[in-house]
Amino acid sequence: MWRRWCAGRPNPSRCALSTEPKLTVTRPDLPPLADLMPALEALWESRQLTNNGPFHQQLERALCEFLDVPELALFCNGTIALLAALRALDLEEGEVITTPFSFVATTHALRWAGLRPVFADIDPVTLNLDPERVAALITPRTRALLPVHVYGRPCDTAALDALAARHGLKVLYDAAHAFGVRAPGLLRAGELSVLSLHATKVFHTFEGGAVICRDAAMKRRLQQIRNFGFVDELTVDSVGINGKLNELQAAIGLLQLPRYEANNQQRAAVDAAYRAGLAGLPGLTLPPSTDPLSHNHSYFPVRVQAGFVCSRDTLYERLKQQGILTRRYFHPLISRFPMYAELPSAQPDHLPVATQAAQEVLCLPLYAGMGVADTARVIDAIRALARTG
Ligand code: T4K
């Protein structure tokens, strides 16, 4: 029945104007389907489908070991994980200093928690929160910092954590992009770090998220918040939520995890090919290269600047016509969305670095399994446009 249903559907992987298949900014890795069968059989046998089942517990242990972190609580997605983390830190009112250069979920989580976002500008190279700009915005109303490791590039955690300690603030890192980044202590910085395990991420459970914490007491608190606030069968002591990851997703995660290193090497090879193939084009700035250990090659954000033959948006459109679907992460800035645009800290003259970055960035296709020919197709298309305009 499923095969018949799928046969009648248009093939979305073909490009309307080109005979070449579409290249998307990312494509999720999947284990061989046959490898999922034993897990499905176990689920059908046990009927334990969700609520902290055996696959879930196994994945939490495996991720702690893999990421070298003390404790980790899985969630149904990164957004709910952010909300639960804010609740676990007892952040329910006041201001939180954050970055406008992120996916909108970062700031939405603050609003859902009843907190007031205050946007600080970013560093022009890393595109992460600039600690000096953060320091200038701290007031008696400030309760916490919410920095993001954008594109998996580590924030200046030493400076941000020290700043927070001086002012008695909490730090919650949005590490949605930072799975597998080996910068020492990165995922142990601040009070908590939140991962996204969404299908577009380098390690995924279709949808999923996680909160990394320091000790068992905080993990218990997160587990309770994740399960409606239940402490035991009869006791609810906080306004929790249903944030649970189910057993099928946990099984997917257990199959994905052993594939991470090989996938990362494949992404690193695409990254290296882009650097070699796109070097020296006037006005096209490549992302800063970092120590391979502190990189998960999740994104390849180039900057289209003055001196390039066309604007970033024109390059985006031209590539799209050829079936190369880049993304302008993160344009528009979160601070430009209507629910935030009136905040004093959202004004573009307060955020010049982020405003410029949002006008220039273009994330090129990058994923495990992206072949040499596909990478060459992107490079050739950009070089041809750079020649002819
Ligand atoms: N904080 C940060 C910093 C984040 O970046 C995110 C999410 C979050 C928090 C929240 O975490 P989650 O609640 O999502 O776990 C995507 C993702 O939906 C989102 O997870 C991600 N960040 C954001 C940066 O990107 P879109 O709207 O760009 O996704 P979409 O559907 O256009 O996918 C991009 C491309 O990926 C498609 O052109 C094709 C490919 N794709 C996508 C999906 C979903 C596939 O091939 N298969 C798929 O199943 O937001």
Side-chain angles (χ1 to χ4, degrees), residues 22-363:
K22 277 183 189 166
L23 277 179
T24 48
V25 71
T26 189
R27 193 184 67 164
D29 177 60
L30 284 173
L33 190 53
D35 291 359
L36 186 59
M37 288 309 164
L40 290 177
E41 282 163 10
L43 286 181
W44 259 243
E45 177 74 23
S46 73
R47 309 256 166 169
Q48 178 77 44
L49 306 183
T50 184
N51 287 15
N52 204 21
F55 288 147
H56 186 283
Q57 291 179 32
Q58 213 180 317
L59 183 59
E60 284 190 339
R61 284 194 299 274
L63 286 173
C64 277
E65 196 176 319
F66 183 84
L67 299 171
D68 189 25
V69 295
E71 298 282 354
L72 172 149
L74 285 167
F75 279 83
C76 56
N77 61 55
T79 308
I80 295 290
L82 278 170
L83 279 179
L86 292 166
R87 178 60 53 105
L89 293 175
D90 294 319
L91 292 168
E92 287 169 13
E93 58 179 23
E95 293 182 351
V96 176
I97 301 176
T98 189
T99 171
F101 191 77
S102 180
F103 190 59
V104 71
T106 307
T107 310
H108 277 355
L110 295 176
R111 267 289 164 88
W112 273 94
L115 294 155
R116 191 174 153 88
V118 174
F119 296 112
D121 209 0
I122 57 175
D123 177 272
V125 176
T126 65
L127 306 183
N128 289 324
L129 268 182
D130 177 342
E132 282 185 21
R133 302 298 298 261
V134 173
L137 291 168
I138 294 174
T139 72
R141 295 182 299 279
T142 312
R143 299 288 316 282
L145 310 181
L146 175 52
V148 180
H149 305 298
V150 177
Y151 309 132
R153 284 182 205 152
C155 288
D156 186 347
T157 52
L160 291 166
D161 284 7
L163 185 62
R166 272 203 303 282
H167 293 272
L169 307 175
K170 293 178 174 161
V171 190
L172 167 59
Y173 284 97
D174 181 336
H177 303 173
F179 187 95
V181 176
R182 300 286 182 202
L186 185 73
L187 296 177
R188 293 166 178 255
E191 268 71 32
L192 301 173
S193 290
V194 169
L195 301 171
S196 166
L197 310 181
H198 182 261
T200 53
K201 301 296 186 286
V202 293
F203 167 78
H204 71 87
T205 54
F206 287 18
E207 291 272 2
V211 182
I212 292 164
C213 60
R214 292 179 190 158
D215 55 45
M218 177 55 90
K219 169 147 182 200
R220 260 195 311 282
R221 176 121 175 83
L222 288 160
Q223 284 174 310
Q224 289 160 6
I225 291 169
R226 175 176 78 193
N227 189 30
F228 312 99
F230 275 105
V231 175
D232 59 38
E233 197 179 326
L234 300 178
T235 317
V236 172
D237 80 344
S238 65
V239 183
I241 198 163
N242 182 354
K244 291 171 271 117
L245 188 82
N246 68 49
E247 282 292 274
L248 182 52
Q249 290 172 285
I252 295 281
L254 287 167
L255 292 170
Q256 284 295 118
L257 197 53
R259 302 170 64 82
Y260 177 83
E261 296 298 354
N263 286 343
N264 195 32
Q265 281 173 21
Q266 291 180 24
R267 287 192 302 273
V270 177
D271 184 307
Y274 276 150
R275 286 181 192 283
L278 295 172
L281 288 180
L284 193 82
T285 304
L286 304 184
S289 59
T290 41
D291 165 8
L293 267 184
S294 60
H295 208 317
N296 62 5
H297 308 286
S298 46
Y299 297 89
F300 196 85
V302 298
R303 294 183 71 165
V304 185
Q305 295 177 309
F308 194 69
V309 72
C310 62
S311 70
R312 185 273 314 270
D313 289 344
T314 303
L315 179 59
Y316 166 86
E317 290 298 340
R318 295 275 176 81
L319 292 173
K320 191 174 170 185
Q321 285 163 6
Q322 299 178 42
I324 299 171
L325 306 184
T326 60
R327 291 302 285 264
R328 288 164 283 192
Y329 296 132
F330 292 99
H331 161 78
L333 288 180
I334 302 175
S335 47
R336 299 317 300 151
F337 291 123
M339 65 297 293
Y340 305 117
E342 300 305 320
L343 292 172
S345 66
Q347 303 318 304
D349 58 358
H350 170 71
L351 304 167
V353 180
T355 300
Q356 189 177 346
Q359 286 160 4
E360 295 179 349
V361 285
L362 193 67
C363 290

